[in-house]
């Protein structure tokens, strides 16, 4: 009999975690089980392979338990068992359960037969009694009914017509609520048809050979960076005069930044995160191999930063551009001295993998982790300068507001929270989502921004398929943007703060007007969307897709 190996089982579990959206768990298993070293060709493994495998095993057990000892065919009254029984009991126990179940069923059938016979006799007697009563009533009221019918004949005819019209109206209303499409489905469909971005306004960037996890526009202008599971990052030149045809498979417009020599698609070289420095002259990438790399805009590898002992999940330049901050699966955060090309300080406070990092200013920053904690640290300090406990689940994302006074966080505990350096307890606890919140973003509005007279907003994106906008002064929900059908992985505000773009696993990207909360433009690609971002001018949006592509959309209202 063929048996499954531990390597094969680990790979199936790894794929199941990835496909189910358990990104952090997949990273952890992949790293500890050495998935990158296994010889299994992932392209040959179909989606849902683990579920299919388990279901087939349960079916086999069920068939085996239902086979009688003396016959090779199935019993006529095939007994279906509960999955938990199939998993926890051996075949002999299952067969005994089936025998007892059959005995009980037979007893039940005998009792039901007796009840049915008794019930039929009672029903026959009752029908006979009712028949006699109806005959007596008919004799007494027949004459009176005839006179009434004659007197109200005209009135009855009019009422019949009115009743028929009312029934049609009620039926239409009921169909709209219960029998037809969901009201939100109707709204979304009509919006999509009216506002769908035409293909002529979309550039599809092809070249990656695995899912594209990250994308970021250079603050200097026309360069777009993308990072992929194919162990490469790419820098694309997206000029206004660039045509769609010249960018598709056009090597002159793209630089390939290889993270491994030789073949690509090595899982331990996945580019998991990337970020441009403030003036757009350098690109930093973080990889599954635990190394950070710095590249020039012409594709030259400037330096490799090695100290982490696990995959890098997040990476950020400070505003000044002299430090890079990284957070890793190894539970630590490291500040790197870019000029010296070495680590400046390692921060080892978390008890679980570090999921996100964000600079408050040039020397202090926040970190979040699977341990539910948030730490605010400072270069040169050996202890956190602030500790924010309060979340009950993994803290997926932390972001400082533009002024650096408020910190927002979101978690698997289905809440987002707003914190202040002036107190340890959260300022606001935002609880309107129905599932885990994956990411958050501040609007580029309010104090410290180019739009100081506009209200500061916080956006949160969730696995419940919604994006919610919050008034951070009051801690209240302003509106819920309901248009996606699957988890929303990324959101980004336009530079002028008037629009918000959201990207979802439902393959669609919606652009929302923040004035009325309505979709003004939408685009549907051929894969789930992992990240969306605006260029600095606000006239182009990029999105990274699971089908190995990056799309660039022209946006002009």
């Amino acid at each position: 009999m063929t048996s499954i190996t531990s390597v094969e089982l680990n790979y199936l579990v790894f794929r199941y975690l990835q496909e189910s959206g358990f990104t952090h768990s997949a990273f952890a298993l992949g790293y500890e089980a050495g998935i990158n070293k296994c010889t299994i060709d992932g392209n040959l493994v179909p989606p849902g392979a683990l579920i299919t495998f388990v279901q087939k095993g349960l079916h086999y057990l069920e068939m085996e338990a239902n086979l009688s000892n003396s016959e090779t065919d199935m019993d006529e009254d095939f007994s279906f068992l509960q999955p938990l029984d199939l998993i926890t009991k051996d075949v002999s126990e299952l067969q005994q359960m089936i025998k007892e179940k059959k005995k009980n069923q037979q007893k039940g059938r005998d009792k039901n037969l007796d009840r049915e016979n008794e019930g039929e006799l009672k029903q026959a007697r009752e029908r006979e009694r009712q028949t006699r009563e109806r005959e007596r009533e008919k004799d007494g009221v027949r004459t009176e009914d005839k006179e009434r019918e004659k007197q109200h004949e005209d009135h009855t005819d009019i009422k019949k017509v009115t009743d028929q019209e009312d029934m049609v109206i009620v039926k239409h209303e009921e169909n709209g609520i219960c029998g037809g499409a969901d009201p939100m489905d109707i709204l979304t469909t009509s919006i999509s048809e009216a506002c769908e971005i035409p293909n002529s306004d979309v550039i599809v960037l092809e070249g990656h050979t695995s899912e594209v996890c990250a994308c970021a526009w250079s603050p200097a202008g026309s360069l777009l960076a993308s990072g992929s599971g194919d162990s490469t990052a790419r820098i694309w030149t997206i000029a206004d005069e660039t045509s769609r045809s010249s960018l598709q498979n056009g090597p002159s417009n793209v630089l390939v930044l290889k993270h491994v020599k030789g073949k690509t698609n090595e899982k331990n070289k996945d580019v998991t995160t990337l970020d441009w420095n403030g003036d757009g002259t350098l690109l930093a990438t973080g990889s599954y191999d635990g190394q950070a790399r710095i590249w020039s805009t012409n594709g030259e590898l400037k330096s490799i930063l090695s100290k982490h002992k696990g995959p890098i999940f997040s990476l950020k330049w400070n505003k000044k551009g002299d430090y890079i901050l990284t957070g890793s699966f190894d539970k630590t955060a490291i500040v790197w001295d870019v000029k010296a090309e070495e680590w400046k300080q390692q921060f080892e406070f978390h008890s679980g993998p570090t999921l996100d990092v964000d600079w408050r200013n040039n020397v202090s920053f926040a970190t979040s982790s699977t341990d539910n904690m948030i730490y605010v640290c400072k270069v040169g300090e050996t202890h956190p300068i602030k500790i924010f406990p309060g979340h009950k689940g993994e803290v997926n994302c932390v972001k400082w507001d533009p002024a650096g006074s408020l910190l927002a966080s979101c978690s698997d505990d289905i809440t987002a929270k707003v914190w202040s350096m002036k107190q340890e307890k959260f300022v606001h606890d935002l609880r309107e989502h129905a599932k885990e919140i994956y990411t958050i973003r501040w609007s580029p509005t309010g104090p410290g921004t180019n739009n100081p007279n506009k209200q500061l907003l916080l956006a949160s994106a969730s696995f419940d398929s919604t994006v919610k906008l919050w008034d951070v002064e009051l801690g209240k929900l302003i509106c819920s943007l309901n248009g996606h059908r699957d988890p929303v992985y990324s959101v980004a505000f336009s530079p002028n703060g008037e629009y918000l773009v959201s990207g979802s696993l439902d393959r669609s990207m919606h652009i929302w007007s923040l004035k009325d909360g309505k979709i003004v433009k939408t685009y549907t690609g051929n894969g789930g969307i992992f990240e969306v971002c605006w260029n600095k001018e606000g006239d182009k949006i990029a999105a990274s897709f699971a089908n190995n592509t990056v799309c660039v959309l022209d946006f002009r209202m």
Side-chain angles (χ1 to χ4, degrees):
M1 180 184 289
T2 304
S3 61
I4 188 169
T5 67
S6 60
V7 173
E8 292 165 338
L9 183 59
N10 284 341
Y11 187 82
L12 289 177
V13 175
F14 173 76
R15 280 288 295 270
Y16 165 76
L17 292 172
Q18 274 193 326
E19 292 164 5
S20 303
F22 301 119
T23 312
H24 307 141
S25 300
F27 268 122
L29 176 63
Y31 180 70
E32 293 181 349
I35 297 295
N36 60 291
K37 297 176 183 177
C38 75
T39 57
I40 299 172
D41 185 354
N43 296 320
L44 300 178
V45 180
L50 179 63
I51 300 296
T52 303
F53 185 77
V54 172
Q55 284 175 337
K56 286 181 178 178
L58 292 176
H59 291 162
Y60 176 84
L61 277 172
E62 196 168 41
M63 291 173 69
E64 186 180 19
N66 274 275
L67 281 170
S68 65
N69 294 329
S70 59
E71 299 175 358
T72 55
D73 294 329
M74 304 299 278
D75 289 341
E76 288 182 6
D77 51 348
F78 185 91
S79 299
F80 288 95
L81 298 163
Q82 295 300 315
L84 189 60
D85 292 330
L86 291 167
I87 293 169
T88 58
K89 293 178 173 59
D90 60 28
V91 174
S92 61
E93 289 177 305
L94 294 172
Q95 288 176 337
Q96 185 62 34
M97 284 179 62
I98 290 171
K99 286 179 182 177
E100 292 175 2
K101 188 175 178 182
K102 288 176 181 175
K103 286 180 182 177
N104 293 333
Q105 285 176 342
Q106 187 59 45
K107 288 179 182 177
R109 279 195 288 266
D110 293 342
K111 287 182 179 178
N112 288 336
L113 189 59
D114 293 339
R115 287 197 197 100
E116 286 172 6
N117 292 335
E118 185 181 345
E120 286 176 3
L121 184 60
K122 287 182 178 178
Q123 287 175 4
R125 289 173 180 167
E126 180 66 19
R127 281 196 297 270
E128 187 179 347
R129 186 184 64 79
Q130 289 176 352
T131 302
R132 285 197 301 269
E133 289 180 357
R134 279 198 296 270
E135 288 299 324
R136 286 197 297 269
E137 289 173 2
K138 283 181 182 177
D139 291 339
V141 299
R142 193 171 287 146
T143 306
E144 187 179 347
D145 286 346
K146 283 182 179 179
E147 291 178 0
R148 276 200 197 125
E149 286 175 7
K150 191 172 182 180
Q151 290 173 3
H152 297 286
E153 188 174 2
D154 294 338
H155 177 72
T156 303
D157 289 341
I158 296 170
K159 192 174 187 299
K160 282 181 181 176
V161 175
T162 308
D163 286 347
Q164 286 176 353
E165 290 174 352
D166 289 344
M167 281 177 66
V168 172
I169 295 170
V170 171
K171 187 176 180 181
H172 286 173
E173 289 174 350
E174 287 177 352
N175 284 344
I177 296 170
C178 302
D182 183 271
M184 178 50 66
D185 293 346
I186 296 170
L187 178 63
T188 304
T189 303
S190 61
I191 289 175
S192 299
E193 289 172 356
C195 308
E196 186 74 32
I197 295 176
N199 288 333
S200 58
D201 290 341
V202 180
I203 301 170
V204 180
L205 306 177
E206 298 175 333
H208 282 297
T209 57
S210 186
E211 70 278 356
V212 186
C213 310
C215 61
W217 288 98
S218 165
S222 60
L223 299 182
L224 173 68
S226 59
S228 168
D230 64 7
S231 74
T232 73
R234 293 172 188 245
I235 299 177
W236 312 82
T237 301
I238 315 290
D240 285 335
E241 64 274 11
T242 302
S243 66
R244 294 175 71 244
S245 59
S246 67
L247 269 166
Q248 289 185 291
N249 303 315
S252 60
N253 293 294
V254 60
L255 297 169
V256 181
L257 315 180
K258 294 184 178 180
H259 288 59
V260 59
K261 294 179 181 178
K263 66 175 183 177
T264 59
N265 282 37
E266 289 192 17
K267 297 308 291 181
N268 70 323
K269 302 288 184 178
D270 280 11
V271 178
T272 53
T273 180
L274 47 78
D275 192 35
W276 292 93
N277 68 347
D279 57 11
T281 56
L282 296 172
L283 175 71
T285 60
S287 173
Y288 199 84
D289 64 3
Q291 294 182 331
R293 295 168 173 84
I294 301 175
W295 311 79
S296 67
T297 53
N298 61 8
E300 177 190 356
L301 179 59
K302 304 289 288 185
S303 57
I304 299 178
L305 308 175
S306 301
K307 186 172 176 60
H308 280 301
K309 295 179 180 178
I312 293 176
F313 288 158
S314 53
L315 173 151
K316 302 282 173 59
W317 289 85
N318 68 349
K319 191 173 183 179
K320 189 177 178 181
D322 57 343
Y323 290 145
I324 289 176
L325 173 63
T326 54
S328 168
F329 176 81
D330 66 10
K331 307 177 185 177
T332 74
I334 296 178
V335 172
W336 305 86
D337 187 320
V338 175
K339 189 174 181 180
E341 299 184 10
E342 61 184 15
W343 63 281
K344 173 80 173 177
Q345 188 174 349
Q346 187 169 28
F347 299 82
E348 305 178 73
F349 305 132
H350 286 294
S351 59
T354 304
L355 299 181
D356 198 21
V357 296
D358 196 48
W359 289 100
R360 183 189 182 205
N361 50 43
N362 286 318
V363 293
S364 66
F365 56 90
T367 65
S368 69
S369 166
T370 62
D371 65 7
N372 309 350
M373 297 295 293
I374 300 168
Y375 293 116
V376 181
C377 308
K378 186 176 182 181
V379 177
E381 298 289 338
T382 57
H383 298 284
I385 59 175
K386 203 74 178 178
I387 300 175
F388 292 135
H391 278 295
K392 306 296 184 184
E394 296 184 5
V395 185
N396 297 315
C397 185
V398 283
K399 289 285 178 290
W400 291 99
D401 76 343
S405 58
L406 296 175
L407 178 71
S409 62
C410 65
S411 168
D412 283 357
D413 66 8
I414 318 180
T415 74
K417 300 185 192 298
V418 178
W419 313 82
S420 169
M421 291 294 287
K422 297 177 182 178
Q423 62 188 64
E424 284 193 7
K425 188 179 179 182
F426 47 78
V427 178
H428 298 301
D429 190 18
L430 312 177
R431 291 179 168 268
E432 295 290 338
H433 279 291
K435 291 185 179 179
E436 298 93 330
I437 306 175
Y438 189 75
T439 194
I440 45 175
R441 288 293 184 276
W442 292 96
S443 62
T445 52
T449 71
N450 294 328
N451 310 290
N453 297 323
K454 293 181 180 178
Q455 181 185 10
L456 177 65
L457 303 174
L458 180 68
S460 57
S462 169
F463 284 3
D464 66 9
S465 309
T466 72
V467 177
K468 298 191 187 297
L469 295 175
W470 306 90
D471 181 326
V472 291
E473 187 174 342
L474 300 176
K476 300 291 185 182
L477 179 67
I478 296 175
C479 65
S480 181
L481 308 179
N482 307 323
H484 288 293
R485 300 174 186 273
D486 285 313
V488 183
Y489 267 22
S490 183
V491 289
F493 285 92
S494 62
N496 61 10
E498 294 180 4
Y499 300 96
L500 179 90
V501 61
S502 57
S504 166
L505 288 189
D506 66 8
R507 304 180 299 142
S508 66
M509 178 176 10
H510 295 325
I511 304 169
W512 310 79
S513 168
L514 298 183
K515 290 180 180 178
D516 53 18
K518 293 182 179 179
I519 297 173
V520 294
K521 296 284 184 182
T522 186
Y523 173 74
T524 302
N526 295 313
I529 299 173
F530 291 131
E531 188 157 24
V532 291
C533 57
W534 296 80
N535 67 346
K536 68 168 187 176
E537 291 82 13
D539 61 0
K540 286 185 174 61
I541 304 167
S544 61
F545 284 79
N547 71 331
N548 311 348
T549 64
V550 181
C551 290
V552 178
L553 285 64
D554 276 335
F555 178 75
R556 293 179 178 86
M557 291 298 291

